[in-house]
Amino acid sequence: MNRNSNQQRPRAFKFIGDRQNATYRCEIYLRPEHCYSNVNGDGAVMFDGYSKHKFHDEPKDKERCLSNFVQRIVANGYLEKSYYISFCTNRNIGKSQDELLIEFNPLQSEKFIIAHGAVQTYFILGDYLKNLKEIKLNTPEFKELKPSYPANNRASELELFRMYKNRFATKEELVEHCKNLKGRKFPQGRIEGFYYAYLAAFSFQ
């Protein structure tokens, strides 16, 4: 007799979305062949997902929170099963009031990933999305790809935010500078403020 036969196997982790407290939500629109049916035969065409697990805290860094959320949806294979996925804020005042942040169109190569609003200044998430575009959809590498966060390296050099000292020849150089600020763990809002203030003060040809 196997001594382990009576031992219980560890339960597989089941994510339970916290629709009330999650910062972000997504809408997943399934392709017909992947729609599941209820007892009465009605197929689920669209369902919501949430960034927060009901019994866990979210990351305080909202870019990391959204990045982890997107990566989880990708790793679970939903892009292969869907024709459209959107990521939005979750304000709990009506879905029409939520801000659209990211769109995935898996069946359209030119519009595969579209970022909106503040997400365009989430540079680590932006790099992750850019790398996704370069990997074939139905591959292990696609699901295993993760956002690349640098090791903690706090700094408080005000010189990094002095616009007249930090002049950039191109917009790409400005973006790279903001990535470095993010890597030093400066607050996202401060980095965004610097980015938009610089664009308002200096124009690129």
Side-chain angles (χ1 to χ4, degrees), residues 26-72:
C26 70
E27 294 183 357
I28 300 176
Y29 292 80
L30 296 171
R31 303 180 197 178
E33 64 270 25
H34 294 291
C35 292
Y36 60 87
S37 296
N38 299 319
V39 176
N40 60 6
D42 295 332
V45 177
M46 187 279 285
F47 64 94
D48 294 313
Y50 296 90
S51 58
K52 182 182 180 302
H53 179 48
K54 196 167 185 178
F55 307 109
H56 294 170
D57 292 330
E58 286 185 336
K60 293 182 179 179
D61 183 330
K62 294 310 176 186
E63 178 181 4
R64 185 183 290 270
C65 177
L66 181 58
S67 299
N68 291 349
F69 184 25
V70 173
Q71 194 274 329
R72 171 163 54 86

Side-chain angles (χ1 to χ4, degrees), residues 113 123-135 145 179:
I113 303 173
F123 301 114
I124 293 176
L125 175 56
D127 284 343
Y128 168 70
L129 296 176
K130 179 181 178 182
N131 291 334
L132 274 183
K133 291 182 180 180
E134 300 173 356
I135 303 176
L145 181 67
K179 287 181 182 179

Side-chain angles (χ1 to χ4, degrees), residues 188-202:
Q188 180 69 28
R190 186 178 180 187
I191 298 172
E192 290 179 14
F194 174 83
Y195 176 83
Y196 287 115
Y198 189 96
L199 289 180
F202 307 105

Side-chain angles (χ1 to χ4, degrees), residues 12-30:
F13 175 79
K14 182 179 180 180
F15 187 93
I16 301 175
D18 187 343
R19 65 179 61 200
Q20 296 298 322
N21 300 304
T23 301
Y24 305 107
R25 67 176 180 86
C26 70
E27 294 183 357
I28 300 176
Y29 292 80
L30 296 171

Side-chain angles (χ1 to χ4, degrees), residues 158-168 193-199 201-202:
L158 293 178
E159 298 298 313
L160 294 172
F161 289 91
R162 296 190 189 279
M163 294 186 191
Y164 291 93
K165 185 171 184 178
N166 295 285
R167 296 297 298 271
F168 308 100
F194 174 83
Y195 176 83
Y196 287 115
Y198 189 96
L199 289 180
F202 307 105

